[in-house]
Amino acid sequence: MPHFDYPCPDCRATTSLHDADCRFEGTPWVEVERAYVDIVSVLAGGPCDEETLRREAPGEWGPLQQAALRRLKRDERVSDANSGVLRLRTAEEFREEVSEPTREPMRTLHQYGSVPGCHDNAVFAMIAWYEMVGLSWPETRENVVNWLRDTGAWDRGGFEEATPAELVEKKRHVYEAGYGWKEKAVSAKRVIDRYRS
Ligand SMILES: [Zn+2]
């Protein structure tokens, strides 16, 4: 199944397997990608407000373009921190600022770490997250190993492997396949919330 560089603006799928309730199910990928490219190409020329973006986007502005812009903001590829001025984050800025997840469900995973009963899902989600934000495999491995140690997840036990590094290395296929993090992160957060309450 082909994978796409840009996620579906609604459900974040990067294949033609959308979530059941996705509003863009069946939309040709070429249209999805064009919506993103139109936005990015305008913003690559410099920051501007949304009205200017709509006017200067090469294609017609519609619900798909609107959703793609919202997705770029939510994924923090585009910053609107400066009172409505849209700005494309540089790759470096994105990696530095965004690789730390600040939104749920990833925030809970990142902050509290995994607990027995959700290790598989939590580690999967963390690796998929770092892949999504553009970290290399060595950076991802280092971050996930540190996360297992620093959050106390490793000390909570329930792992078959001898070391965090061994565990993360065994999950390299998750990074290479570019799986989505959302579903696994939601499941893991549910278990972590229960554990903490
Ligand atoms: Zn979708």
Side-chain angles (χ1 to χ4, degrees):
M1 191 184 305
H3 279 260
F4 301 95
D5 286 345
Y6 292 102
C8 167
D10 190 12
C11 74
R12 296 207 93 263
T14 51
T15 69
S16 47
L17 287 178
H18 293 263
D19 285 0
D21 55 351
C22 178
R23 53 195 278 234
F24 296 118
E25 166 102 66
T27 306
W29 271 102
V30 58
E31 285 179 28
V32 173
E33 298 201 323
R34 196 181 303 132
Y36 280 110
V37 170
D38 281 359
I39 294 167
V40 170
S41 68
V42 174
L43 293 179
C48 66
D49 61 21
E50 191 171 322
E51 205 186 307
T52 310
L53 170 64
R54 286 163 176 247
R55 198 176 52 236
E56 293 192 356
E60 199 172 320
W61 192 273
L64 185 58
Q65 284 69 18
Q66 198 61 42
L69 176 59
R70 198 178 318 122
R71 172 57 57 198
L72 287 166
K73 287 196 224 168
R74 287 178 63 178
D75 288 355
E76 309 202 39
R77 290 283 179 182
V78 166
S79 154
D80 59 352
N82 185 10
S83 56
V85 177
L86 303 171
R87 187 174 62 80
L88 204 56
R89 286 178 191 270
T90 64
E92 194 175 322
E93 185 187 345
F94 179 76
R95 282 159 46 109
E96 276 175 17
E97 293 184 13
V98 183
S99 61
E100 187 150 309
T102 54
R103 290 200 169 89
E104 295 299 0
M106 287 303 293
R107 199 172 82 95
T108 294
L109 267 68
H110 181 256
Q111 203 165 340
Y112 299 103
S114 186
V115 301
C118 75
H119 289 328
D120 270 352
N121 284 341
V123 172
F124 185 113
M126 290 299 288
I127 292 174
W129 169 271
Y130 286 125
E131 190 277 330
M132 189 266 298
V133 302
L135 298 196
S136 67
W137 170 245
E139 290 167 328
T140 297
R141 186 177 49 203
E142 187 187 342
N143 277 349
V144 178
V145 165
N146 290 341
W147 165 78
L148 282 164
R149 290 212 181 95
D150 298 345
T151 57
W154 189 258
D155 294 334
R156 288 180 201 121
F159 298 96
E160 287 169 21
E161 294 76 11
T163 63
E166 190 189 328
L167 166 68
V168 177
E169 195 57 52
K170 271 171 73 177
K171 302 276 187 193
R172 185 168 182 161
H173 64 277
V174 173
Y175 181 90
E176 278 165 2
Y179 293 119
W181 49 268
K182 194 170 100 181
E183 210 176 303
K184 304 282 188 187
V186 168
S187 310
K189 175 174 162 28
R190 209 176 294 137
V191 177
I192 295 167
D193 287 346
R194 207 161 45 221
Y195 184 89
R196 296 179 58 229
S197 64

